[in-house]
Amino acid sequence: MHSGPNHPPRPPYVMLQDQGAPGHYPGPHGRNPPRFNGQYRPNGHRKNTCLRCYCCFYCCFFITLVVIIAALVISFIIINPHVPEYKINDFSVKAFNLTPDLNLHAHFVITVKAENPNKQISIIYGKGSSVTLLYSGMKLCSGKVPDFTQPTKNTTMINVDLKGDLKGSDFGGSLGESLMEKMKSDRIPLTVAVRVPVNVAMGKMHVLKDPMGIYVNCSMVVNNLSQPDKKVGISDKKYDIDFSYKFKH
């Protein structure tokens, strides 16, 4: 059928309105375009959410770390720890018998002055200590520091018994002769080596899981070893003090 001369030709197709959605028109070939509901989020939004989570985690971690460090610094300032001090205060002869064949029986008592200057920390001296008296590296006698607890702001005099017996074969000819010569000159160089395990406490709480080690070497010169009734003079004292986080037996 042909259109009249006053009417334009009809298009080959017509636009049909979607009955389910007023004002919405189907796509080409009669297909409706995809529709998105309100729950859909593009990938970029997911990446932003993960980035926010990472930022929050690291911010919380950093703040917690700063708080812990600040608490440790404040505690250190309040406690104000000081290193204890140790000195050989006295040396007395109880027995010293050195025979011509260089057999030796010795008994000395040394007094160690231990000072704890801390106001908040007490010091616990544990078992397993050793105190050794040496001449030119050779052990003459030995003893132990008694285990006890030293309170805060305290000075304690620790008496240590040192006993030893050496045979001529153990003492060595040249070393024994050298000692006898030094005794005649009234200048006998000796070394006192102290090794003791300690823990520290604040109140009743032990601070350390394992005891730490305190090592004191005192080199000195004495003027008498063989006369028990004579006061021993001590000179030229030099101290070497070391610490370790774990006591070494």
Side-chain angles (χ1 to χ4, degrees):
M1 181 177 176
H2 299 281
S3 302
N6 298 326
H7 299 281
R10 294 181 179 180
Y13 61 87
V14 295
M15 300 295 292
L16 298 178
Q17 184 176 356
D18 188 356
Q19 299 298 325
H24 181 77
Y25 298 96
H29 311 291
R31 298 178 181 175
N32 291 327
R35 300 178 183 178
F36 303 102
N37 55 34
Q39 297 178 350
Y40 174 77
R41 295 290 185 273
N43 291 335
H45 180 80
R46 295 179 180 176
K47 293 180 179 179
N48 292 336
T49 302
C50 293
L51 183 60
R52 291 193 192 100
C53 291
Y54 283 124
C55 289
C56 290
F57 171 77
Y58 284 111
C59 286
C60 292
F61 176 79
F62 179 75
I63 293 173
T64 303
L65 184 63
V66 170
V67 171
I68 292 175
I69 294 175
L72 291 175
V73 171
I74 293 173
S75 300
F76 187 85
I77 293 174
I78 293 175
I79 297 172
N80 191 21
H82 294 279
V83 177
E85 296 182 3
Y86 303 94
K87 295 180 179 179
I88 303 296
N89 197 65
D90 191 31
F91 185 99
S92 60
V93 179
K94 298 299 180 181
F96 187 88
N97 298 319
L98 182 61
T99 62
D101 53 357
L102 300 180
N103 291 324
L104 174 66
H105 169 72
H107 180 195
F108 306 106
V109 176
I110 64 170
T111 302
V112 180
K113 182 180 180 182
E115 296 186 30
N116 178 15
N118 295 284
K119 296 180 180 179
Q120 305 289 337
I121 299 174
S122 56
I123 302 175
I124 303 169
Y125 295 86
K127 297 180 179 180
S129 65
S130 66
V131 182
T132 308
L133 182 67
L134 303 105
Y135 171 76
S136 295
M138 171 65 71
K139 182 174 74 171
L140 300 180
C141 49
S142 61
K144 294 181 179 181
V145 175
D147 50 296
F148 72 102
T149 299
Q150 186 177 20
T152 60
K153 297 291 292 182
N154 174 266
T155 299
T156 300
M157 298 295 183
I158 306 172
N159 293 322
V160 182
D161 276 305
L162 302 176
K163 296 179 180 180
D165 290 284
L166 293 175
K167 295 180 179 180
S169 57
D170 298 329
F171 202 19
S174 60
L175 196 61
E177 292 173 0
S178 171
L179 177 59
M180 295 181 70
E181 291 296 324
K182 292 293 184 181
M183 289 174 61
K184 294 177 182 178
S185 67
D186 293 335
R187 287 188 60 84
I188 307 110
L190 299 174
T191 300
V192 178
V194 181
R195 301 166 58 89
V196 58
V198 300
N199 205 327
V200 294
M202 297 181 62
K204 295 182 179 181
M205 181 184 70
H206 289 201
V207 176
L208 304 176
K209 180 180 178 181
D210 297 316
M212 64 180 295
I214 295 180
Y215 311 100
V216 181
N217 286 342
C218 174
S219 60
M220 58 186 182
V221 175
V222 299
N223 64 353
N224 171 41
L225 284 181
S226 59
Q227 302 178 35
D229 297 330
K230 183 179 178 181
K231 181 176 176 60
V232 178
I234 306 174
S235 62
D236 301 340
K237 289 187 288 187
K238 296 180 181 179
Y239 295 92
D240 182 16
I241 302 177
D242 195 12
F243 301 87
S244 67
Y245 290 108
K246 190 172 182 179
F247 179 68
K248 301 175 183 178
H249 294 278

